[in-house]
Amino acid sequence: MRHKLSKDQIHFIENYLEHSDIYYADIRMEMTDHVASALEAQIQSGDDRVFYEIFKDYMIEHKSKLLENNKAFVRNVDKLIFRNLLKQLTRPLSTVVFILAFFSIYRALNFVDVQSLRTLISMFPIMSIVPFCIVYVILLKWFKLSRFSGIERLGFVQMIVFQLYNFIIIFLGIHVKESGNNAIVALSLALVLTVSLVMIKLTIMIVNQYRKEYKNLI
Amino acid sequence: MANSKLYKGSLVTIILKLLTENEKMYGYQITQKVKQLTNGELHITEGALYPALHKLEAEGLLDIEVKKVDNRLRKYYKLTDKGNKETVNKLQELQSYIQTMQVLINPKMSLE
């Protein structure tokens, strides 16, 4: 009969990995299974030492490789989120939202004086990030998904996008002062609005994906 | 153990090929299958395998399935349609590479 590790032994491995900076639940789950499978195979092949001795020797030999994997995993998660963001941005629906936002903002700008517009523009990054933060925090708390790589790294991606908004706003501030060109202002604000909505959609998509794939872990 | 640098460039092709022959596989199973097929000649480390699997997943070539097995959760990988197509390309590339290397190592073969 094949040897199986007990629940306590599995829990011990998982705890050890968590304290070794493998803090994302999804990667830790996979590493726990890998280590447990390797230890089971070793015990099965006739190693009759106590579990903790076998575990200690295994980790001495493999720990650096496991941690190396952790870093590469995070890089791939970031890449995956950016790819999905790009994919969502290039969808026809995003183009429609962008065009509608552009024309609505362009028309609305006729009724706003330059000073009010400058104030509005300076508040736009914060106004754009707030809906994302509300959706993000509610989903994290509601579904207890806070330590999943894809979801936590979404916050990192949002920070980069936020910096992009700030850059656009600085550019716009100069432009509004110089010429008050409504088309460029509307174009930039429509872009910020579209990216913000896509980020919210992406957050919901990723959260649902994790809930589906990791329903046993949540 | 064989020179791992020579195998490094073929790791993705090895993973994809194994997944065409097995509906779904998990990380440790892949390392053991490779070891078994090569009589222990090739040993894939965790540090090389998982980044490659996660990269393939990020590129949409692999899909995942998480199941509870023996008191823990196990992440299985399986090929997507895109992954199946990519496997054919990768295997052709590898075969072409092997043929080229054989000709270089044994020039007589090019005359045959």
Side-chain angles (χ1 to χ4, degrees), chain A residues 2-5 9-10 13 17 30-43 51 55 58, chain B residues 28 70 72 74:
Chain A
R2 201 170 66 83
H3 182 85
K4 286 180 193 172
L5 295 184
Q9 288 167 334
I10 298 289
I13 298 171
L17 293 175
E30 191 168 31
M31 290 301 100
T32 301
D33 181 47
H34 187 97
V35 174
S37 300
L39 297 183
E40 282 174 350
Q42 204 167 324
I43 295 168
F51 166 78
F55 174 76
Y58 181 85
Chain B
Y28 183 76
D70 299 341
R72 57 187 183 263
R74 180 164 283 167

Side-chain angles (χ1 to χ4, degrees), chain A residues 110-121:
Chain A
N110 291 324
F111 307 101
V112 183
D113 62 274
V114 173
Q115 191 50 46
S116 305
L117 181 61
R118 283 176 64 79
T119 312
L120 183 74
I121 285 171

